[in-house]
Amino acid sequence: MSEFRVLEIKQSVFEDNDRDAEALRQDLKREKTFLLNLMSSPGAGKTTTLTRTIESLKDEMKIGVMEADIDSDVDAHTISKTGAKVIQLHTGGMCHLDADMTRQGIKGLGTEEIDLAILENVGNLVCPAEFDTGASRNAMILSVPEGDDKPLKYPLMFSICDVLLINKIDVLEYFDFDLEACKERAKKLNPNIKIIPVSARTGEGIEEWADWLRTEVKKWRNE
């Protein structure tokens, strides 16, 4: 019977990425730059929420944004109007960013004058959850039209995030979305997750979200 080697490629890829991510995290720690990895499905409102976030914090801290997308630069143009420093990252078909890609983005963005760097990851709830980017904190946005069952369908995403923004609560009455059930499902997966209902359109909840970021950035810089 022939003998052959079995290589666990996926495990090796994740292990290598985890090492790269931790190295990046420590580098950012020394530079006192807080990196937020922002994830969601397409259309959940990442860019609109990000615009609101920058408006709330731009007078208090220097913000840089990395817009990750498979090909387009639409979101980067939108964010550039806020006055924040922004670069576009094209993934070349990849459905996520890993630690090495993020490091390249950080290098392009520059951290010399950045207090808060935000990575707007590629829009989906599967691949980005699997790869540690080296971020200080992970955040995700779930929009009301997507349904309250998403924690059941994408448990890993909810498990690895530090904060969940439930966006588009201004249209809650028009959808069969059970807010409390969604919170309960997310908390069952991740008891420590912070949940903030928001409306990026009206601004409701954005200040609570901005306060959370203020606290986390301060903790990161002072730890």
Side-chain angles (χ1 to χ4, degrees):
M1 185 175 180
S2 300
E3 293 185 2
F4 53 86
R5 295 175 63 198
V6 176
L7 301 180
E8 299 294 344
I9 300 296
K10 186 173 183 180
Q11 181 179 352
S12 175
V13 167
F14 284 145
E15 288 175 351
D16 289 346
N17 183 73
D18 287 347
R19 283 193 294 269
D20 292 344
E22 188 56 33
L24 175 57
R25 200 159 19 247
Q26 292 307 314
D27 288 345
L28 292 171
K29 186 79 168 176
R30 284 189 289 272
E31 295 165 7
K32 296 189 179 298
T33 298
F34 182 98
L35 173 59
L36 178 74
N37 179 24
L38 183 61
M39 299 170 283
S40 80
S41 295
K46 283 198 305 296
T47 306
T48 307
T49 302
L50 189 47
T51 299
R52 286 278 192 179
T53 304
I54 294 168
E55 289 172 354
S56 293
L57 297 173
K58 65 182 180 182
D59 294 332
E60 306 169 38
M61 57 184 79
K62 296 172 183 176
I63 301 172
V65 178
M66 296 177 286
E67 285 288 347
D69 217 327
I70 291 174
D71 193 32
S72 79
D73 57 6
V74 174
D75 293 339
H77 280 294
T78 300
I79 295 300
S80 68
K81 296 174 184 177
T82 67
K85 187 175 183 180
V86 59
I87 62 169
Q88 179 70 55
L89 306 179
H90 283 159
T91 66
M94 297 286 284
C95 61
H96 65 275
L97 261 71
D98 61 18
D100 183 62
M101 296 176 194
T102 305
R103 183 180 286 278
Q104 292 178 54
I106 287 289
K107 185 177 180 180
L109 187 66
T111 58
E112 298 82 6
E113 297 184 354
I114 299 294
D115 302 312
L116 170 61
I118 302 174
L119 168 62
E120 184 175 341
N121 214 318
V122 180
N124 77 82
L125 297 180
V126 182
C127 305
E130 295 186 319
F131 287 85
D132 189 346
T133 60
S136 312
R137 300 289 185 271
N138 290 315
M140 73 163 293
I141 300 174
L142 172 68
S143 66
V144 167
E146 293 175 78
D148 56 41
D149 61 348
K150 290 302 174 287
L152 302 176
K153 294 184 176 182
Y154 304 99
L156 181 59
M157 175 61 77
F158 290 84
S159 298
I160 60 101
C161 282
D162 300 288
V163 60
L164 164 64
L165 304 183
I166 301 179
N167 190 27
K168 304 187 182 181
I169 58 170
D170 52 301
V171 297
L172 198 55
E173 63 180 300
Y174 302 108
F175 290 88
D176 184 17
F177 187 99
D178 189 328
L179 184 58
E180 293 308 313
C182 185
K183 290 180 179 179
E184 183 178 337
R185 288 163 179 161
K187 285 284 188 179
K188 188 173 182 179
L189 290 167
N190 183 354
N192 296 320
I193 195 169
K194 173 74 173 177
I195 302 175
I196 307 174
V198 302
S199 169
R201 188 179 71 85
T202 68
E204 183 178 354
I206 294 297
E207 194 54 35
E208 182 181 355
W209 157 237
D211 280 341
W212 183 88
L213 268 176
R214 289 183 185 100
T215 300
E216 294 302 314
V217 170
K218 184 177 180 180
K219 282 165 53 178
W220 177 257
R221 293 171 66 87
N222 294 332
E223 284 175 353

